[in-house]
Amino acid sequence: AELYLAEPSGAANRYYACAIGKGKQSASTELEKLKLADMSCRDVLVEIARIILLTHDENRDREMELEMSWVCEESKCQHKMVPADLIAEAVTAAKALLDE
């Protein structure tokens, strides 16, 4: 699978993963540390939740509701929302990783 990001300047680049918006730099740094080609989609859910929780500033940012979507074998190669129970499991695992 390939992911492309179209920049406002018109440039389009291919990525395994990318971050946009607030916290982009620190999230991008964390994404670069991952060996995404060797991970399953479920493993990546935990890492993405960890990165989002890590970059979220509870004191300055509003309350957060995490939603995820994916395109993988588990979604039959169609863009679909990740089921809420899988997101909840990923967030629990990510919080445990952050507490270590």
Side-chain angles (χ1 to χ4, degrees), residues 17-91:
C18 62
I20 58 173
K22 191 173 183 180
K24 171 185 173 177
Q25 188 60 44
S26 56
S28 293
T29 301
E30 290 295 317
L31 287 169
E32 290 171 4
K33 296 177 186 177
L34 301 176
K35 296 187 183 340
L36 294 168
D38 300 330
M39 299 174 73
S40 71
C41 280
R42 285 187 182 229
D43 293 337
V44 173
L45 288 178
V46 173
E47 290 299 327
I48 297 300
R50 181 187 63 79
I51 292 168
I52 291 171
L53 291 170
L54 183 68
T55 59
H56 179 73
D57 185 350
E58 291 182 16
N59 296 323
R60 291 182 39 201
D61 297 335
R62 291 180 279 173
E63 189 173 325
M64 173 180 63
E65 179 180 343
L66 183 58
E67 296 179 337
M68 296 182 178
S69 63
W70 59 8
V71 178
C72 60
E73 289 178 16
E74 201 158 340
S75 70
K76 298 182 180 150
C77 295
Q78 295 180 2
H79 180 249
K80 293 190 177 181
M81 297 302 294
V82 175
D85 59 323
L86 292 181
I87 294 173
E89 288 175 22
V91 169

